[in-house]
Amino acid sequence: MNIVITNQALQWFSDEMEVQAGDTIRFYVRYGGSNPFHEGFSLGMSKDEPMNPTVIAKHEGVTFFIEEDDVWFFNNHDLYVDFDQELDELSYDYK
């Protein structure tokens, strides 16, 4: 499993969350919403320090990670994070 972050998504993190090189961003499972695999759950994110990361990706000095407890959510798919200009928000794809 991998995390892929586009340059446009990284810019969103910089603009909206003031993320800069050296910061760590966690993708986690949250209750509510939906995704292609699990109704009633969706993807959340926060600036957080890794405790037991299973998936780690670095992009321009920023570390993105998923903790071991949240890996089930991705159903053995890679996480692709991009920016949707039309909706002015991040978009997620699972491949």
Side-chain angles (χ1 to χ4, degrees), residues 3-5 7 10 15 22-23 30 35 40 42 49 52 58 72 74 78 81-82 86 94-95:
I3 302 170
V4 178
I5 307 288
N7 289 335
L10 184 63
D15 294 344
D23 286 341
R30 64 183 189 161
N35 74 63
S42 60
E49 292 297 320
N52 194 17
K58 293 189 180 200
W72 65 269
F74 299 92
D78 293 337
V81 183
D82 200 357
E86 201 171 289
Y94 308 91
K95 298 180 183 179

Side-chain angles (χ1 to χ4, degrees), residues 6-12 15-16 81-92:
T6 66
N7 289 335
Q8 294 83 0
L10 184 63
Q11 186 62 51
W12 183 93
D15 294 344
E16 299 296 324
V81 183
D82 200 357
F83 177 74
D84 185 323
Q85 290 183 354
E86 201 171 289
L87 297 175
D88 193 34
E89 62 185 30
L90 290 179
S91 64
Y92 305 106

Side-chain angles (χ1 to χ4, degrees), residues 33-74:
S34 65
N35 74 63
F37 312 115
H38 309 285
E39 188 63 35
F41 294 94
S42 60
L43 189 62
M45 76 201 133
S46 64
K47 282 186 182 180
D48 203 353
E49 292 297 320
M51 300 281 288
N52 194 17
T54 298
V55 182
I56 300 171
K58 293 189 180 200
H59 190 72
E60 307 239 354
V62 179
T63 301
F64 298 88
F65 69 97
I66 299 167
E67 291 285 348
E68 181 179 3
D69 291 345
D70 293 323
V71 170
W72 65 269
F73 175 83
F74 299 92

